[in-house]
Amino acid sequence: MASISLKDLVKTYGDVEVLHHVEGEIQDGELIVIVGPSGCGKSTLLRMVAGLETVTSGEISIGDTVVNKLEPADRDIAMVFQNYALYPHMSVRENMAYGLKIRKISKDEIDRRVNEAAEILEIGAYLDRKPRQLSGGQRQRVAMGRAIVRNPQVFLFDEPLSNLDAKLRVQMRLEIRKLQQRLGVTSIYVTHDQVEAMTLGDRLMVLNGGYVEQFGTPIELYDRPATVFVAGFIGSPSMNFLPVGANGGTLTLGNGATLAGGVQASGTVTLGVRPEHLVQDDAGAIRITVQMCEQLGANTLIHGVLEGSDTEFVASAPGHVTAEAGSVMCFTAVAEDLHIFDTTTGKRIDA
């Protein structure tokens, strides 16, 4: 197994810079998730680690070896793609064994590795089937099996669950996490799905427009987002944002009501508060004109507009709570659950 070091990575296509001075240290055995919206550069970064994209400047190391100039086959990595990339004319067993045959591994060793991987992934009954005879989830297991048999230093996952339905995605991401923990292989996983990222990653690297916005554990990103972008991207439903006036530790909303903000700031700042941290309170400063309610069973999402503005707001309430469109509901939140950001830079303001 091996650690991975990303040092000052830049990637350009012509005059367009798509990755900007990316830095990150990935420890041996960690599962790191690179997450961000479409077009942010996450798959490009993964392909640079794999050797499928050249590095414009900067340095990638796997273990003690700088791999910038190494071919993909010489990096001791295995990659799992979203489209499975299985050979349709080969059986499951042949697909899993193909890479080992190319490397001239002995037949007995190939059989041992394939059977061991098939047992781990519970696909032993499908070894003689062709990919077309398998479901999407089974094909993805085969693709992972093909990676496992290589005993690589690093696993790379490029949105491997994108083609699966919602229920199967939940099941498969748990399988991937258990598999990675069992094998202890350093892994990088790319996704645009923040729920997938939160449940899978030891740490998350949030990319936005080719820049690293924050690199930390899921709970760090949830509790202390470094920027407005991270705050809005991590968490479902998304964090609410509104401009407020700050005077010391007091925040003044557009309707003149005040909240204790917990940080010392002045002037206009951006207040962020998660829907699940809003508490219904008839005397609460946050007054919402209800537009609609989504009753989800365990909780109800109340969508509305903040009083005195056109700012849309979402609050999460217990599942039995509901309200008529046009009615007003009041909420409050404790200072520890409020997030204050600089309106100009979008960066977090701490106490």
Side-chain angles (χ1 to χ4, degrees):
M1 309 313 163
S3 59
I4 301 172
S5 177
L6 311 176
K7 294 182 180 177
D8 199 26
L9 289 183
V10 173
K11 177 63 180 177
T12 61
Y13 294 104
D15 295 331
V16 180
E17 189 170 288
V18 296
L19 285 175
H20 313 282
H21 306 284
V22 172
E23 298 264 354
E25 299 293 328
I26 302 169
Q27 303 305 313
D28 186 5
E30 267 194 308
L31 194 163
I32 296 300
V33 179
I34 303 173
V35 63
S38 296
C40 71
K42 54 189 184 295
S43 288
T44 299
L45 178 56
L46 189 77
R47 290 170 64 84
M48 288 166 66
V49 175
L52 303 175
E53 294 280 357
T54 58
V55 176
T56 303
S57 66
E59 189 176 278
I60 300 173
S61 298
I62 298 178
D64 297 325
T65 304
V66 177
V67 299
N68 288 40
K69 302 297 184 182
L70 291 184
E71 294 295 322
D74 298 325
R75 299 192 181 199
D76 199 10
I77 55 96
M79 195 161 181
V80 180
F81 299 92
Q82 69 182 76
N83 62 357
Y84 320 129
L86 302 177
Y87 296 109
H89 62 287
M90 293 184 182
S91 68
V92 167
R93 184 188 302 277
E94 291 168 334
N95 266 283
M96 292 172 65
Y98 183 71
L100 301 181
K101 290 176 67 177
I102 294 298
R103 293 161 59 191
K104 306 208 181 308
I105 305 293
S106 70
K107 184 178 184 305
D108 287 346
E109 178 64 11
I110 291 175
D111 287 343
R112 184 191 70 78
R113 292 194 194 183
V114 168
N115 290 332
E116 184 179 280
E119 180 180 352
I120 290 172
L121 293 165
E122 300 180 354
I123 54 174
Y126 312 128
L127 286 175
D128 296 320
R129 296 188 186 181
K130 298 287 175 57
R132 66 176 178 274
Q133 297 173 297
L134 304 178
S135 68
Q138 290 164 346
R139 292 180 196 178
Q140 196 54 273
R141 287 172 186 265
V142 175
M144 288 191 289
R146 183 178 54 194
I148 290 170
V149 298
R150 294 184 55 191
N151 293 332
Q153 290 192 89
V154 175
F155 283 143
L156 303 178
F157 297 90
D158 190 7
E159 305 214 37
L161 308 184
S162 295
N163 293 331
L164 305 181
D165 63 55
K167 183 177 180 180
L168 191 54
R169 284 183 70 145
V170 173
Q171 177 187 339
M172 286 300 299
R173 74 185 183 217
L174 293 175
E175 294 289 341
I176 288 174
R177 188 58 175 135
K178 287 190 293 185
L179 175 66
Q180 191 273 338
Q181 289 176 331
R182 175 174 177 175
L183 299 176
V185 179
T186 308
S187 303
I188 302 178
Y189 188 107
V190 160
T191 182
H192 64 274
D193 185 329
Q194 58 94 9
V195 174
E196 196 165 284
M198 293 283 284
T199 55
L200 273 173
D202 293 314
R203 288 187 294 155
L204 314 185
M205 177 182 286
V206 182
L207 285 186
N208 178 30
Y211 291 93
V212 177
E213 294 269 341
Q214 193 169 354
F215 190 19
T217 66
I219 200 65
E220 284 173 350
L221 270 61
Y222 178 84
D223 282 344
R224 297 185 63 80
T227 65
V228 167
F229 178 83
V230 175
F233 193 81
I234 299 297
S236 182
S238 295
M239 185 180 287
N240 297 294
F241 298 104
L242 64 152
V244 297
N247 184 8
T250 300
L251 303 174
T252 303
L253 282 63
N255 62 2
T258 60
L259 284 170
V263 300
Q264 298 296 311
S266 61
T268 300
V269 297
T270 298
L271 167 65
V273 57
R274 297 194 183 280
E276 58 270 28
H277 291 157
L278 290 165
V279 179
Q280 193 172 358
D281 178 355
D282 289 342
I286 301 172
R287 296 171 55 86
I288 299 173
T289 301
V290 177
Q291 294 176 321
M292 64 169 288
C293 293
E294 288 184 279
Q295 289 191 286
L296 305 177
N299 65 316
T300 296
L301 296 182
I302 299 164
H303 298 263
V305 177
L306 198 65
E307 183 183 67
S309 74
D310 57 0
T311 302
E312 294 186 352
F313 224 76
V314 181
S316 180
H320 64 275
V321 173
T322 188
E324 295 293 329
S327 62
V328 175
M329 296 185 71
C330 300
F331 298 87
T332 191
V334 298
E336 290 77 10
D337 289 332
L338 300 180
H339 306 267
I340 312 300
F341 303 94
D342 186 288
T343 301
T344 302
T345 66
K347 294 182 178 180
R348 182 183 190 87
I349 300 173
D350 282 316

